[in-house]
Amino acid sequence: MTERVKNLLAILKSGEYKKTRTESCADISDIVKEYSDGEKDSLSLKIMLESESLNAFRGDRIGFNRKQIYHPKYTYTNGKAANASGPNNITPDYAFALNNGFDSIKETVIKKITNCEEEKRPFYNGVLTAIDGVLEYADRCREDAKAKGIDDLYKALCHIPHKKAETYYEACVFMKFLIYTMRCNRNHHVTLGRFDQYMKPFFDNDVKRGVTHDELLEITEEFFISLNFDTDIYVGVQQGDNGQSMVLGGYDLDGNDMFNELSEICMKASMELKIIDPKINLRVSQKTPIERLEFATEMTKLGLGFPQYCNDDIVVPGLIGLGYRPEDAVNYTVAACWEFIIPGKAYDIVNIASFNFPAAVETAVNNGLLTSDTYEDFFEKVKSAIIDRCNGIIEYCNSKKFQYSPYFSLFVGSCLEKGLDIADAGADYNNFGVHGAGISTAADSLAAIKKVIFDEKSVSKEELLEALKSDFEGYGELRNRLLSCPKMGNNDGYVDNIACDLMEVFSSYLNGKPNSRDGIFRAGTGSAMEYILSARRVGATADGRKNGQPYGSSFSPSPNSQLDGPLSVIQSFTKFDLKKIINGGPLTMEVHDTVFRNSDGIKKTAQLVKAFIDLGGHQLQLNSINRDVLLDAEAHPENHKNLIVRVWGWSGYFIELDEPYRKHIISRTEHKY
Amino acid sequence: MAEALVFSIEEFSTFDGPGIRTTVFLKGCPLRCEWCHNPEGQSYENEVIKTQYGCTNCGECLKSAEKTDSGYVYSEKSILACPNRLLRPAGRLYIPQALVDELSKNINLLNKSGGGVTFSGGEPLSHPEFLIDTLKLLDNKTNRAIQTSGFCSNEIFKAVLENVDYVLFDIKLVDDKQHIKYTGVSNRSILQNLETLVKSGKDFVIRTPLIPTVTDTVQNLSEIALLLDGFNIREIDLLPYNKVAGGKYAAVGREFKPSFDETKPPHPHTEIFERYDIKVNIL
């Protein structure tokens, strides 16, 4: 790590730079009131930028950090106040700007305005206002950089963003400029996409010019650090939830491996910096060399939760199955967290709603268990409940209106060509993605019902209903029995097949249903925060889960269940044909960091990842267990029955250890990083 | 038919031999090492164990438990009475075929990684008939390892050795008096079995738990190094003692009372081994 990078990292960690921000916020209602909603946003962007100046910290060659925390105030035509949350969760077409520069883009826009139909004029005007705003700001920053003596930045700004980028450094500055201006335009969860692909030409230019590997690594690190400066003012459910995901590697249509020198430099940079952004995703397949998985496991070892793996063998055919063109499907990236999306072409709303599996089971239990004579009868009622909930979701999503965003639209599909904002479905893909939360809780509940009610007939339906209603108060023995029923994650066909049935009903019904934007619905395995939020709305479940308790996060075993181990987990969670439920949502697994004590542990963990890929898993989030989880386990042991800790030459369930020992393990994590 | 109690089957054990392995812990051990971290693996009898963590003190389990001088002894009924399912029998009884069936569900993944199955304990060699039958059933199916104290008759050791591919062999203390003091048994048969192991030509690794002031002394580690050098063994795994060793004692209703000072950090003294050109792996 160079001195320059160390210095920047110190500035980031000190948080001192936050003192340069202002909290004032302009009210521009009067200025924008005559304009269309899209134009209002562009004017707001322009006005906001007028009050910004080059905010570059000591030694910072990238710049473009926020001064104003808040966006200007005004209301839309529907009377709603503009807030910080504009269109989000997609990967814009960065290459379009990097390879053209705004001068030539502006020319195109002006030509369009001159020749376009009247109703398209507000859109193009909005785009033009935004471009003028960002260019005026860039010019001012250029002079600021000159005055402040930041020579490299000054020189870069003499080319970009007016002209296309030439060098890797210029392209990095341009990238930060784009992200910064999009954020000022209220766009958030703006993901970085396939950085190692669209930046590669600039990188290659530099290599040809004789720029060294170390210099290229340094620039990459400066850019990565720069991405972290404003994350505390970005919109998100929790800090860190800001969508700055980066996807590396992948295979093209001919099966060529696209992982390159830049991909490797990005991973190195992330491992040296150990900061939360960008979040690294790695595209893999059965063909991925084991050495690369071992390299990636070195990253997992750091405990940051990177990389997340996406399996091309499953994702690409899955997306093609949903109607994405093959050349687009192979170019997939992740939107913010893990939803698969086509960069620069799609304005898919990948997280428009969340399907709550256990809620559907709850409905069937309450309304149909008493009248079901066989498990098959009962499952029909579950099926109806799933379809009813899907219909509700479809109706709700299709009634939604979308925000205009001319500047953002500039970077999406053929919006510019067609003169259509993303709000008016100007993108090439306009699909809706629906999460599927709580699959394991739902499958475990059905397995328990099947076992004790229908197979064994050891519990009466009335008794079970009463026990659930009373949240197991006075039904301790029954709860004990339910907890001992088969649980998803133990490679047990009894329950895993039920999970497959549930996913089949959900995905086959929802996939391909038309949405209000000439697109379709797509079903997924993610939960986002719904493993906690949706779970609060569901009472006690027949798997033994108590009222309101969380589900497993995304595609994971229930926190209720005692598990045999990771090999069983990956087999349980790859039984369903995951190509059919491909909105995204990873299997999330924790391994204790002591597994990585020697190189043998790295190799074996990489083999575990390889096994998951070979079995047909779609997405994997492998975590080296960290302090926060342990602390949560300390406070809520009932939610962490699966937490395995490596203790010495042996492993144990964390919650099975006595207090002083648990405390000791937690204390060990204090100085880990 | 031979049967044995298994107190744990651990998937993805990464320190118990080559590749990804599943480790089977057989219940019952003739040794009583002071630092034992698996107290539920000591007795050949099946006891009911209770996870303390998560207990709401509702008292349901105590209604059918027997009160003794050292605490409560839980019954089968206690297991079912707990609303949080915190009690379980420490062991599950298996016949070899049933155990092999259960292991088979992961065997492809184990083999792909160059791994296999490891039998540990307790002391796996104290169930020779069951162990050999199980190992034979796994022959040609996967790599078979044992993790052992080496304490058993030489006949049994030889018979088991014929059916394994890899051995993780413990050397705790070379001085026999010390060995008797801290583990409850003499190491004479262990050293004899070590010789058998070396001569057999099987793949193996020597492991020494580093217990502060007990096994990590310069004297003991020097004696171990000398012993290995005599057999021309050039590698050793050292497993530093960790204070969580006593974590499971309360679950079996016992108290962990080591006579050594467990707060002292264990010393690997790698320089001793380096002198003999013995490679040290600290796990």
Side-chain angles (χ1 to χ4, degrees):
Chain A
M1 200 182 289
T2 64
E3 284 308 312
R4 191 201 298 275
V5 171
K6 277 186 201 159
N7 165 55
L8 279 175
L9 209 48
I11 292 173
L12 174 69
K13 297 211 164 143
S14 76
E16 283 290 305
Y17 65 92
K18 292 176 189 169
K19 288 181 186 160
T20 61
R21 292 188 189 141
T22 62
E23 296 204 358
S24 62
C25 164
D27 188 330
I28 60 167
S29 308
D30 285 345
I31 304 172
V32 303
K33 70 178 175 217
E34 301 300 326
Y35 291 91
S36 70
D37 282 351
E39 288 172 289
K40 283 179 184 180
D41 279 351
S42 292
L43 278 166
S44 163
L45 169 65
K46 191 164 185 279
I47 293 167
M48 182 171 181
L49 291 177
E50 281 165 7
S51 301
E52 290 273 295
S53 55
L54 179 67
N55 198 11
F57 311 120
R58 189 167 36 85
D60 178 6
R61 293 192 298 169
I62 306 281
F64 300 114
N65 304 300
R66 282 265 278 276
K67 282 216 160 151
Q68 301 160 91
I69 296 173
Y70 304 109
H71 298 84
K73 277 187 199 159
Y74 55 95
T75 51
Y76 291 117
T77 41
N78 64 6
K80 276 193 188 153
N83 61 26
S85 181
N88 56 74
N89 261 281
I90 63 163
T91 310
D93 188 358
Y94 299 110
F96 170 65
L98 296 173
N99 295 330
N100 290 295
F102 277 113
D103 282 354
S104 91
I105 295 171
K106 186 174 165 179
E107 254 175 63
T108 311
V109 176
I110 289 171
K111 267 185 217 152
K112 286 281 185 188
I113 292 182
T114 330
N115 301 317
C116 75
E117 302 137 51
E118 195 55 39
E119 78 260 24
K120 296 194 170 161
R121 192 150 295 161
F123 170 72
Y124 285 124
N125 278 336
V127 175
L128 190 61
T129 302
I131 293 178
D132 283 341
V134 302
L135 284 179
E136 187 278 326
Y137 169 65
D139 292 341
R140 234 167 351 95
C141 287
R142 184 188 62 225
E143 296 313 310
D144 281 355
K146 190 180 182 185
K148 287 186 178 172
I150 314 174
D151 292 344
D152 292 333
L153 185 56
Y154 169 70
K155 279 181 210 152
L157 291 174
C158 287
H159 298 136
I160 58 142
H162 282 277
K163 304 281 182 260
K164 65 179 181 149
E166 298 288 344
T167 67
Y168 180 61
Y169 167 66
E170 279 181 5
C172 283
V173 174
F174 206 153
M175 278 300 293
K176 182 68 193 298
F177 177 78
L178 291 170
I179 291 165
Y180 165 88
T181 50
M182 287 172 192
R183 293 276 183 177
C184 290
N185 195 48
R186 300 167 196 275
N187 307 119
H188 59 91
H189 288 70
V190 178
T191 81
L192 291 153
R194 304 185 74 191
F195 184 83
D196 62 343
Q197 306 302 314
Y198 60 79
M199 294 294 272
K200 187 70 180 2
F202 309 106
F203 180 88
D204 287 344
N205 272 349
D206 276 18
V207 172
K208 261 186 231 144
R209 290 193 301 125
V211 181
T212 65
H213 174 277
D214 287 355
E215 287 170 294
L216 291 162
L217 177 64
E218 182 184 40
I219 295 167
T220 307
E221 294 190 333
E222 288 175 73
F223 175 65
F224 280 16
I225 293 171
S226 184
L227 290 172
N228 289 268
F229 277 129
D230 288 337
T231 49
D232 61 312
I233 53 173
Y234 289 175
V235 178
V237 177
Q238 295 284 309
Q239 173 144 4
D241 169 29
N242 58 39
Q244 295 194 114
S245 298
M246 178 175 282
V247 178
L248 302 175
Y251 294 81
D252 70 8
L253 267 186
D254 301 321
N256 296 311
D257 188 353
M258 305 302 281
F259 190 90
N260 57 47
E261 303 90 318
L262 177 55
S263 328
E264 201 170 316
I265 280 192
C266 288
M267 288 183 69
K268 267 191 198 157
S270 178
M271 286 159 82
E272 281 192 5
L273 297 173
K274 302 182 189 72
I275 48 181
I276 60 167
D277 284 303
K279 297 158 186 70
I280 304 292
N281 291 257
L282 189 62
R283 281 177 51 171
V284 293
S285 90
Q286 288 202 42
K287 291 187 290 188
T288 302
I290 190 77
E291 295 75 23
R292 191 177 307 153
L293 299 178
E294 287 170 9
F295 183 48
T297 305
E298 295 281 358
M299 191 179 245
T300 300
K301 177 184 172 180
L302 299 174
L304 296 162
F306 316 151
Q308 176 172 255
Y309 297 95
C310 305
N311 184 1
D312 282 17
D313 297 336
I314 302 303
V315 179
V316 173
L319 291 173
I320 292 173
L322 283 169
Y324 291 86
R325 286 183 290 274
E327 64 272 27
D328 289 337
V330 290
N331 196 30
Y332 80 87
T333 173
V334 297
C337 299
W338 19 252
E339 303 93 334
F340 304 112
I341 194 163
I342 313 304
K345 292 200 169 178
Y347 186 51
D348 292 342
I349 317 288
V350 291
N351 55 0
I352 192 161
S354 181
F355 179 80
N356 188 341
F357 275 110
V361 173
E362 185 178 53
T363 305
V365 167
N366 290 339
N367 303 338
L369 184 60
L370 286 176
T371 54
S372 300
D373 293 330
T374 62
Y375 172 75
E376 288 68 29
D377 275 355
F378 178 61
F379 192 77
E380 284 303 312
K381 280 154 191 161
V382 174
K383 216 164 149 177
S384 305
I386 291 174
I387 290 170
D388 285 350
R389 285 191 88 82
C390 283
N391 285 334
I393 285 173
I394 291 169
E395 196 182 327
Y396 157 79
C397 296
N398 281 343
S399 68
K400 272 199 150 185
K401 296 277 178 268
F402 297 90
Q403 276 191 55
Y404 285 82
S405 199
Y407 182 56
F408 207 36
S409 302
L410 187 55
F411 306 98
V412 184
S414 39
C415 288
L416 178 63
E417 182 53 37
K418 292 190 275 196
L420 280 179
D421 195 287
I422 47 172
D424 289 327
D428 299 357
Y429 298 102
N430 295 282
N431 301 325
F432 289 163
V434 178
H435 296 325
I439 180 66
S440 48
T441 299
D444 294 350
S445 300
L446 286 182
I449 290 169
K450 182 171 193 273
K451 187 155 190 265
V452 302
I453 304 272
F454 296 106
D455 290 358
E456 293 175 358
K457 298 185 169 53
S458 56
V459 176
S460 76
K461 295 167 186 163
E462 292 78 6
E463 190 187 357
L464 179 67
L465 287 173
E466 204 44 56
L468 296 178
K469 209 156 86 187
S470 55
D471 200 20
F472 300 114
E473 280 312 313
Y475 289 89
E477 275 202 47
L478 175 55
R479 178 166 185 242
N480 178 307
R481 229 140 96 213
L482 296 171
L483 285 170
S484 75
C485 287
K487 304 289 181 219
M488 189 179 182
N490 286 329
N491 195 14
D492 179 346
Y494 192 91
V495 54
D496 293 349
N497 293 340
I498 293 173
C500 291
D501 292 344
L502 287 168
M503 285 187 272
E504 178 66 33
V505 174
F506 169 57
S507 63
S508 68
Y509 187 76
L510 194 67
N511 279 339
K513 285 273 177 302
N515 73 5
S516 54
R517 299 158 60 76
D518 278 339
I520 54 160
F521 281 84
R522 28 181 259 193
T525 47
S527 69
M529 57 287 189
E530 298 303 327
Y531 71 105
I532 293 179
L533 300 186
S534 292
R536 287 189 188 143
R537 297 193 293 270
V538 173
T541 40
D543 59 335
R545 171 188 152 279
K546 295 191 105 183
N547 177 27
Q549 288 304 299
Y551 311 145
S553 166
S554 285
F555 197 49
S556 303
S558 161
N560 251 331
S561 44
Q562 189 100 38
L563 297 175
D564 292 345
L567 298 184
S568 293
V569 170
I570 61 173
Q571 290 175 94
S572 264
F573 282 81
T574 51
K575 282 186 184 157
F576 188 65
D577 179 359
L578 293 162
K579 293 193 279 291
K580 298 198 287 191
I581 189 158
I582 206 71
N583 189 56
L587 168 62
T588 308
M589 288 203 302
E590 265 88 32
V591 284
H592 195 259
D593 57 1
T594 49
V595 164
F596 303 121
R597 273 183 311 197
N598 59 14
S599 59
D600 223 26
I602 295 277
K603 283 205 169 99
K604 290 173 187 182
T605 307
Q607 282 166 335
L608 180 68
V609 174
K610 168 95 182 124
F612 175 77
I613 297 165
D614 291 349
L615 285 166
H618 59 342
Q619 207 167 24
L620 177 66
Q621 172 73 69
L622 195 62
N623 300 322
S624 175
I625 198 72
N626 63 41
R627 185 176 163 72
D628 288 350
V629 175
L630 297 175
L631 290 174
D632 192 57
E634 186 68 20
H636 307 286
E638 68 280 8
N639 296 340
H640 292 274
K641 287 193 178 170
N642 311 329
L643 181 59
I644 292 172
V645 288
R646 187 79 193 173
V647 184
W648 165 13
W650 56 288
S651 295
Y653 284 100
F654 181 74
I655 63 164
E656 286 190 2
L657 303 174
D658 293 340
E659 190 185 48
Y661 304 98
R662 297 193 307 271
K663 288 244 153 73
H664 176 78
I665 288 176
I666 290 171
S667 74
R668 270 196 336 209
T669 65
E670 276 172 3
H671 308 292
K672 207 172 71 178
Y673 306 124
Chain B
M1 181 176 303
E3 48 185 29
L5 282 170
V6 170
F7 72 89
S8 180
I9 298 177
E10 188 189 316
E11 285 182 8
F12 196 62
S13 57
T14 53
F15 291 88
D16 297 338
I20 297 178
R21 309 194 74 84
T22 296
T23 302
V24 178
F25 294 85
L26 300 178
K27 192 162 157 34
C29 185
L31 277 67
R32 286 294 177 271
C33 304
E34 262 196 26
W35 53 84
C36 180
H37 58 256
N38 279 333
E40 77 276 33
Q42 292 180 351
S43 165
Y44 292 90
E45 302 295 317
N46 207 355
E47 63 263 61
V48 173
I49 60 173
K50 178 183 170 185
T51 304
Q52 307 293 314
Y53 204 33
C55 176
T56 53
N57 294 315
C58 69
E60 287 297 326
C61 61
L62 299 180
K63 288 182 185 163
S64 37
E66 186 193 332
K67 196 170 190 317
T68 67
D69 291 344
S70 58
Y72 284 98
V73 175
Y74 301 103
S75 69
E76 286 291 316
K77 270 190 179 168
S78 310
I79 296 176
L80 288 176
C82 173
N84 297 310
R85 211 175 164 79
L86 298 175
L87 288 82
R88 60 179 168 88
R92 219 177 125 184
L93 199 60
Y94 280 91
I95 56 167
Q97 188 60 53
L99 180 58
V100 169
D101 287 348
E102 185 154 335
L103 295 171
S104 295
K105 70 177 191 172
N106 291 331
I107 230 152
N108 287 340
L109 296 182
L110 300 177
N111 290 344
K112 262 193 178 178
S113 78
V117 174
T118 300
F119 293 87
S120 181
E123 174 47 64
L125 293 173
S126 63
H127 304 271
E129 203 185 330
F130 175 85
L131 183 62
I132 291 169
D133 285 354
T134 310
L135 290 168
K136 280 184 173 158
L137 288 172
L138 288 169
D139 189 18
N140 285 323
K141 287 197 175 120
T142 193
N143 179 285
R144 305 157 299 169
I146 54 167
Q147 179 170 32
T148 176
S149 67
F151 183 84
C152 67
S153 75
N154 196 243
E155 292 70 39
I156 287 175
F157 190 76
K158 281 178 178 160
V160 172
L161 205 52
E162 277 175 28
N163 292 288
V164 296
D165 307 300
Y166 191 75
V167 179
L168 299 112
F169 196 97
D170 263 24
I171 297 290
K172 299 177 176 85
L173 289 155
V174 175
D175 181 273
D176 199 26
K177 276 186 195 148
Q178 290 276 311
H179 202 279
I180 292 168
K181 180 179 173 196
Y182 286 105
T183 74
V185 301
S186 160
N187 64 11
R188 246 175 300 163
S189 63
I190 295 172
L191 297 178
Q192 190 193 1
N193 288 333
L194 175 64
E195 191 176 346
T196 303
L197 174 62
V198 174
K199 286 182 181 160
S200 73
K202 293 272 177 189
D203 282 339
F204 68 91
V205 66
I206 300 297
R207 292 190 147 180
T208 297
L210 288 178
I211 311 304
T213 72
V214 182
T215 67
D216 75 340
T217 60
V218 171
Q219 167 141 13
N220 185 47
L221 294 178
S222 300
E223 285 169 359
I224 290 176
L226 191 63
L227 179 72
L228 299 195
D229 187 56
F231 285 119
N232 199 21
I233 298 168
R234 298 290 153 216
E235 191 166 353
I236 186 168
D237 286 355
L238 299 179
L239 288 78
Y241 177 79
N242 189 303
K243 276 192 286 176
V244 286
K248 294 202 272 190
Y249 277 74
V252 290
R254 287 164 50 186
E255 208 180 328
F256 183 57
K257 286 187 292 191
S259 68
F260 56 90
D261 182 358
E262 60 163 352
T263 62
K264 285 196 175 159
H267 283 295
H269 291 295
T270 49
E271 71 284 355
I272 296 172
F273 295 97
E274 278 158 14
R275 237 175 277 146
Y276 290 92
D277 202 20
I278 294 169
K279 187 183 166 225
V280 176
N281 307 308
I282 297 176
L283 298 187

